[in-house]
Structures are given as C-alpha cells and as structure tokens.
Amino acid sequence: FPYSDHSSGIKNVLTESARIARGKIIDLARLAARDYDAVVFPGGFGAAKNLSTFSVDGKDCKVNKDVERVLKDFHKSGKPIGLCCISPVLAAKVLPGTEVTVGEEQEQGGKWPHASTAGAIKAMGGKHCAKDVMISFSSHVDNTNKIVTTPAFMCETEFHHIFDGIGAMIKNVLRLTGK
C-alpha cells in the first residue's frame, strides 16, 4: 500500500507499520478471523486516507478491499471488532446497520470539529450513537454485531479523556471475546 505523507513523498504502509510497531507485522491481505480473537482498527488520518477514501469522498468513499474483507470476515465469525476515532466509518460503509460512535453530532463551539462525520455515517447506512468522550470513559458497544467504537481524537479534549475512552473500547472488545 503506497501512500504520500506530503513531507517525504511516497512511503510503504507495511514498512512504516513495522517501524512504528517495532515488531512482526503481516500484510492485511493475510489476516483471517480464524487466526485471531478480535480485530482493532486505530483511527487517524491513515484510516480516512489509506484504509478508505473517506478523507476525499466522505459518504461516497470506497474501503480498501482487504479492510472490507477483514471486517466482513470478523463480523461473520461473530468475533469482536474495535474501531477508534475516524475508523468507525469503515464499519458503517461495509456493515450497514451497525451501531457506531464518532462522538457528538454537533460541533459545540469547536469541541467536536468533525461532528459532520456522524451525518456521513448515517448516509452510509450506519446508526450513529452520540457519545461525549468525557463521560463514563466513552465507548459504544453494539452487542448484536460485536462492534465497539470510541470517539478518541474526534474531540478536542485532554489526552486522559481520549486514553480512557480507548481503554474502555479495548476492555469491551476483550469482554466480547468471552476469554
């Protein structure tokens, strides 16, 4: 997966992932639900630009074919899926009808600068559940579909609130594995 980061030209997602993770990684094309208990997709611009075309196309985005396959594979297998920050748009596009959150649906004076994403989720067939990242270590659990989401950096807030929300998402994903 080549991509451009505007500062140094074209990079390879696998090379950069290995550098950042400092560990063994595999190509997403080789990821299969049968080999794992759950899958978690981080958010950030990479999810909106490299895993999908959401950053350019919004509700009309296309999702990377391997990402789509993995989401459908884990969903069909009844295994939990965690999605953080902007990545819930991936589930909304690929698994219509699932419940996700990217936070609040109004900007609230700039606190939620990406609030319009909730409308895009609805337009793609997803069910958006408004959540404030600062309340109850915010994550949303769609128990029927075993999808857990948290707003994370969709909100302009202190890092500890984001940390708590991501922690709640991970705890709920682990709880849904039944292990």
Side-chain angles (χ1 to χ4, degrees):
F1 308 132
Y3 74 98
S4 172
D5 73 352
H6 302 298
S7 65
S8 61
I10 300 297
K11 294 187 177 192
N12 181 286
V13 172
L14 289 175
T15 302
E16 286 300 296
S17 296
R19 182 186 64 78
I20 292 167
R22 297 183 181 169
K24 184 179 174 184
I25 63 164
I26 64 167
D27 190 322
L28 194 56
R30 295 178 37 213
L31 180 63
R34 70 179 174 274
D35 299 328
Y36 298 92
D37 295 325
V39 66
V40 175
F41 283 87
F45 200 56
K49 184 177 178 184
N50 298 313
L51 301 183
S52 71
T53 63
F54 187 80
S55 67
V56 175
D57 300 325
K59 67 178 180 55
D60 299 318
C61 71
K62 292 177 179 45
V63 174
N64 172 287
K65 66 180 172 76
D66 289 317
V67 171
E68 181 172 355
R69 181 193 53 76
V70 166
L71 287 170
K72 287 180 176 179
D73 188 23
F74 275 81
H75 184 257
K76 184 178 177 185
S77 298
K79 293 187 176 183
I81 299 168
L83 300 151
C84 184
C85 195
I86 191 69
S87 69
V89 300
L90 303 172
K93 186 70 175 186
V94 172
L95 305 168
T98 57
E99 295 177 2
V100 299
T101 192
V102 289
E104 295 289 346
E105 297 181 1
Q106 303 296 320
E107 287 189 27
Q108 299 178 6
K111 179 180 173 186
W112 294 92
H114 311 288
S116 63
T117 304
I121 285 169
K122 292 175 186 177
M124 290 187 284
K127 295 177 183 174
H128 185 262
C129 301
K131 293 277 183 173
D132 188 325
V133 76
M134 295 183 292
I135 298 174
S136 303
F137 310 116
S138 187
S139 71
H140 178 77
V141 181
D142 177 344
N143 283 301
T144 302
N145 293 293
K146 292 191 174 181
I147 295 176
V148 186
T149 53
T150 189
F153 288 98
M154 298 297 281
C155 182
E156 293 291 329
T157 190
E158 293 85 14
F159 282 172
H160 67 92
H161 295 298
I162 294 162
F163 176 86
D164 291 342
I166 294 169
M169 178 194 69
I170 295 298
K171 280 183 182 179
N172 281 308
V173 166
L174 293 173
R175 177 182 58 79
L176 288 172
T177 67
K179 294 186 176 190

